[in-house]
């Protein structure tokens, strides 16, 4: 069982989709996410790289180090990813438990 958090699981869901990655040095990479790791290291193919000065270049394949990533823009399609359904279920369960604990505490005081 993976101990990766929700953002990493969502990154795994994006494998095979077009993503945009901005690096800490200001470079932007847009291409097909081939593989991703727990450390956010990723391999991309058919990449368009935009340098800090605006120069655009095409790269067939690139490996990006996760510790150098500033942010990743994922496709809108992932809004309905299964990982979010799990989060919503857990959130509802926690809210119900909180309400049950609240109402139980009030009864004891009366």
């Amino acid at each position: 069982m993976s101990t990766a958090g929700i953002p990493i699981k969502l990154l795994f869901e994006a494998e095979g989709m077009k993503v945009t990655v901005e690096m800490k040095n200001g470079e932007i990479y847009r291409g097909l996410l081939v593989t991703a790791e727990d450390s956010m290291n990723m391999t991309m193919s058919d990449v368009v790289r935009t340098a800090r000065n605006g120069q655009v270049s095409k790269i067939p394949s690139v490996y990006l180090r996760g510790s150098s990533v500033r942010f990743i823009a994922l496709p809108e399609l992932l809004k309905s990813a299964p990982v979010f359904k799990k989060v919503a279920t857990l959130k509802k369960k926690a809210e119900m438990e909180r309400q049950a604990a609240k109402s139980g505490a009030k009864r004891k005081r009366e």
Side-chain angles (χ1 to χ4, degrees), residues 33-73:
L33 180 62
V34 178
T35 59
E37 302 172 12
D38 285 355
S39 58
M40 286 182 30
N41 295 340
M42 61 192 84
T43 305
M44 297 172 67
S45 64
D46 301 324
V47 178
V48 176
R49 174 186 166 264
T50 306
R52 289 173 53 183
N53 63 6
Q55 182 182 5
V56 176
S57 56
K58 291 186 180 181
I59 305 171
S61 182
V62 68
Y63 183 82
L64 302 176
R65 183 178 170 98
S67 64
S68 299
V69 172
R70 178 174 291 143
F71 72 85
I72 304 168

Side-chain angles (χ1 to χ4, degrees), residues 74-80:
L74 300 172
E76 292 287 322
L77 177 67
L78 289 175
K79 283 186 176 179
S80 60

Side-chain angles (χ1 to χ4, degrees), residues 80-109:
S80 60
V83 78
F84 283 132
K85 291 177 184 170
K86 289 180 185 176
V87 170
T89 304
L90 290 172
K91 188 175 179 181
K92 284 180 185 177
K93 185 178 177 182
E95 184 63 32
M96 289 175 61
E97 289 174 357
R98 215 178 345 228
Q99 287 178 353
K102 256 186 176 179
S103 63
K106 287 181 181 177
R107 288 184 190 145
K108 290 178 185 177
R109 290 181 192 164

Side-chain angles (χ1 to χ4, degrees), residues 6-21 31-36 42-44 72-79 81-83:
I6 301 299
I8 301 300
K9 289 180 182 177
L10 191 61
L11 183 60
F12 292 150
E13 292 278 341
E15 288 180 350
M17 298 181 185
K18 285 264 187 189
V19 298
T20 303
V21 181
L32 185 70
L33 180 62
V34 178
T35 59
M42 61 192 84
T43 305
M44 297 172 67
I72 304 168
L74 300 172
E76 292 287 322
L77 177 67
L78 289 175
K79 283 186 176 179
V83 78

